[in-house]
Amino acid sequence: MSPFTGSASRTEEWRHLRLTLDAGVATVTLARPAKLNALTFGAYADLRDLLPELARDGSVRALVLGGEGRGFCSGGDVDDIIGATLAMDTRRLLDFNRMTGQVVRSLRECPFPVVAAVHGVAAGAGAVLALAADFRVADPTARFAFLFTRVGLSGGDMGAAYLLPRVVGLGHATRLLMLGEPVHADEAERIGLLSRLVPEGEAPTAAQDLARRLAEGPALAHAQTKALLTAELDMPLAAAVELDAATQALLMNSADYAEFHAAFTEKRPPAWQGR
């Protein structure tokens, strides 16, 4: 994502989500608790626009994505989205589906790690938002359900058929996307869908702790590691090791690399600068 800006000013208010910034950590909260944080057209659009804006800002070093109330996100709002799409023509439907995909691409391509704090339901699009994060921290109430076939649509929505096999393997991904069965937290941990399982009620705190740890670390190294993890998913080995070599050569010219050596020599913790 380019750091260069044009004439558009920074957004002062996000109407469909809540954003807080603290010491390099952005916290994005889906805030429709009465509807289990079901997504609307506006919520998708805000997520699509927010992530590139945070990337251009340059001060964000980690992001926590969570949901207010009883669950993480129940997916697309049945009335506001599913009902509305029945009246759309093909062009409008394509525009909408491309927008949802842009949200997932932005989560994967933003130059900072994203931590999903999951409790309660993460269903449909909510499950894909969590899947697109770099880390998923959940408590025992969490349950994931990729429900798209249950409403008569392809299970490969918003990049799920690309991402899920790479996280849990083709066998598990086929079962989850074909059948739409819920996966509770203990199974999600067993098959590799979770990064960490924490006691009930502790997912938001644990996600914040992880985000702060990431934000205090070498931001440039984190950004390049994330970029390589995404780019190399479809590369042959020869191309991947060449990209690794070019990336390391660039980072060996970074201030953080020199700072590590100085800190090691002086027997002190590194003061990471992110450049």
Side-chain angles (χ1 to χ4, degrees):
M1 292 183 179
S2 171
F4 299 102
T5 59
S7 302
S9 60
R10 179 174 178 172
T11 306
E12 296 298 330
E13 179 184 1
W14 298 94
R15 291 187 295 159
H16 304 283
L17 49 83
R18 188 166 63 248
L19 170 67
T20 60
L21 300 168
D22 179 36
V25 175
T27 301
V28 177
T29 304
L30 305 174
R32 295 184 76 209
K35 293 288 190 82
L36 280 174
N37 303 315
L39 298 167
T40 62
F41 294 111
Y44 277 118
D46 269 1
L47 287 169
R48 175 201 62 196
D49 297 340
L50 170 66
L51 290 159
E53 187 167 304
L54 292 178
R56 289 191 297 270
D57 177 85
S59 66
V60 174
R61 296 191 171 195
L63 183 146
V64 175
L65 178 63
E68 183 179 316
R70 296 178 293 119
F72 177 73
C73 175
S74 59
D77 189 286
V78 174
D79 295 321
D80 289 359
I81 288 187
I82 297 179
T85 54
L86 293 174
M88 291 182 181
D89 62 20
T90 300
R91 187 182 72 174
R92 288 286 289 165
L93 290 169
L94 186 57
D95 287 342
F96 166 63
N97 283 284
R98 282 174 170 163
M99 175 175 67
T100 67
Q102 287 168 353
V103 174
V104 171
R105 284 191 60 185
S106 293
L107 286 166
R108 294 305 316 143
E109 294 174 2
C110 62
F112 42 76
V114 177
V115 183
V118 184
H119 70 290
V121 66
V128 183
L129 291 181
L131 174 65
D134 301 290
F135 301 89
R136 284 160 295 282
V137 177
D139 76 10
T141 69
R143 62 188 187 279
F144 300 83
F146 298 86
L147 297 174
F148 306 107
T149 59
R150 295 205 172 187
V151 301
L153 297 177
S154 164
D157 194 38
M158 297 172 63
Y162 179 89
L163 292 171
L164 193 58
R166 290 163 168 80
V167 174
V168 302
L170 180 61
H172 290 305
T174 301
R175 172 172 59 92
L176 299 183
L177 295 182
M178 284 278 192
L179 301 178
E181 295 177 341
V183 180
H184 293 272
D186 55 349
E187 183 187 2
E189 182 183 36
R190 178 176 61 80
I191 65 176
L193 185 55
L194 292 188
S195 309
R196 185 181 174 196
L197 182 61
V198 299
E200 186 170 345
E202 294 186 13
T205 300
Q208 288 288 336
D209 289 344
L210 176 55
R212 281 193 293 271
R213 175 183 171 188
L214 291 162
E216 292 168 358
L220 187 59
H222 291 160
Q224 294 306 309
T225 301
K226 177 172 180 172
L228 293 181
L229 284 167
T230 298
E232 293 182 13
L233 286 172
D234 301 309
M235 281 186 182
L237 178 60
V241 295
E242 178 61 23
L243 183 57
D244 286 352
T247 301
Q248 295 295 53
L250 289 170
L251 290 179
M252 285 174 178
N253 272 317
S254 70
D256 278 350
Y257 186 66
E259 167 61 12
F260 166 77
H261 185 262
F264 182 83
T265 303
E266 298 166 14
K267 295 182 172 53
R268 59 172 175 80
W272 303 114
Q273 301 175 50
R275 58 183 181 86

